[in-house]
């Protein structure tokens, strides 16, 4: 999925986030939601079908985030 920035000052992270969500929606066959997103962000970023973004999928990102969050959780010590 290719991303074309609509504005010179466009935040690259925001564009990548939209692209990941769009790709996730298409992968899960939520075509109406994907088209709604594409329409809503058309002034910000151009989302194209069928072109790889080169970034990990949203599924992978969420899985890794959950794993890191679990590792970072403070360990409670028992009261003596």
């Amino acid at each position: 999925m290719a991303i074309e920035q609509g504005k010179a000052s466009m935040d690259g992270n925001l564009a990548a986030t939209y692209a990941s969500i769009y790709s996730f929606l298409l992968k899960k066959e939520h075509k109406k939601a994907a088209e709604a997103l594409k329409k809503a962000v058309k002034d910000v970023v151009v989302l194209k079908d069928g072109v790889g973004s080169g970034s990990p999928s949203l599924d992978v990102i969420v899985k890794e985030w959950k794993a890191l969050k679990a590792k970072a959780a403070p360990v409670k010590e028992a009261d003596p």
Side-chain angles (χ1 to χ4, degrees):
M1 167 159 339
I3 305 169
E4 293 180 15
Q5 294 183 353
K7 299 179 183 176
S9 63
M10 174 62 196
D11 179 2
N13 290 332
L14 183 60
T17 301
Y18 285 143
S20 293
I21 294 168
Y22 181 72
S23 177
F24 174 81
L25 291 170
L26 288 176
K27 180 180 167 187
K28 300 294 182 178
E29 299 183 9
H30 296 294
K31 294 176 184 177
K32 287 184 180 181
E35 289 305 313
L37 174 66
K38 187 175 184 178
K39 183 178 177 181
V41 302
K42 70 181 178 188
D43 292 336
V44 178
V45 63
V46 177
L47 301 171
K48 294 185 177 180
D49 299 345
V51 180
S53 68
S55 63
S57 71
L58 190 58
D59 293 323
V60 171
I61 293 169
V62 170
K63 183 178 178 180
E64 290 177 3
W65 173 74
K66 285 182 177 181
L68 288 172
K69 185 177 174 186
K71 286 181 183 179
V75 177
K76 293 184 179 181
E77 295 182 21
D79 291 328

